[in-house]
Amino acid sequence: MFRVFVGGESLERAGSGAIWGNVWLEFDGKSFPHWRWNDMVVPYLTALTEGVEDASAGGAARVMFFDGPFWVDIRAKAGALEVSPGGGGADLPSCIEETTSLAADVLAVGRLVVERCESEGWGDDDDVRALRSALRRLAEQCRSAAEN
């Protein structure tokens, strides 16, 4: 099972304006890159959301973490999405998830991060706007797929 985690209480804005915090993934209960990995949360979630959107449309995506040589590859596979860790997590197994389940997890976590950023007064930040837009596109793609 693949899951996305963000430590909402960990979000903080650096002097540069970047929003940092704990963001990590789990592959069958094993954390990647590490439990409570610290990275640029909002741009990472934007890239992950866009990667799920691209793969859901039949493509593939490589989503890089911003800190360290870590990434996940996402690709469509038999009506589902295969997510494979790369870099330091090459020893973890790939996970195959139903597209709707994986998209729902990414959407839920992304929306929580947007809400937290808005509550901190960061809602007009370019990175937050980009995440909000990516979430809207993925949600619309999910709605369209459900109607077909």
Side-chain angles (χ1 to χ4, degrees):
M1 182 169 172
F2 175 81
R3 297 284 317 271
V4 181
F5 292 92
V6 170
E9 75 289 346
S10 71
L11 298 182
E12 51 186 42
R13 195 169 191 177
S16 66
I19 300 167
W20 287 79
N22 298 329
V23 57
W24 70 100
L25 310 174
E26 279 192 3
F27 290 82
D28 292 330
K30 295 185 173 124
S31 298
F32 176 78
H34 299 289
W35 181 71
R36 299 184 66 83
W37 181 256
N38 194 265
D39 213 315
M40 292 191 294
V41 173
V42 177
Y44 180 75
L45 288 176
T46 301
L48 184 62
T49 302
E50 292 170 343
V52 170
E53 179 186 10
D54 292 346
S56 297
R62 174 165 285 179
V63 181
M64 301 289 298
F65 279 88
F66 288 86
D67 192 19
F70 304 105
W71 65 86
V72 291
D73 289 325
I74 308 169
R75 68 183 181 99
K77 184 171 186 173
L81 295 178
E82 180 178 34
V83 186
S84 304
D91 58 329
L92 294 176
S94 296
C95 287
I96 298 175
E97 298 289 332
E98 289 185 8
T99 302
T100 54
S101 174
L102 195 151
D105 188 39
V106 170
L107 287 167
V109 171
R111 287 175 179 145
L112 286 173
V113 168
V114 167
E115 288 173 14
R116 176 66 194 269
C117 289
E118 289 172 345
S119 74
E120 293 290 336
W122 308 330
D124 287 334
D125 180 271
D126 289 343
D127 287 340
V128 176
R129 280 191 224 140
L131 176 56
R132 197 180 293 117
S133 178
L135 291 168
R136 270 191 235 111
R137 287 192 311 272
L138 180 58
E140 179 56 37
Q141 183 185 54
C142 291
R143 278 190 293 275
S144 293
E147 292 170 1
N148 293 330

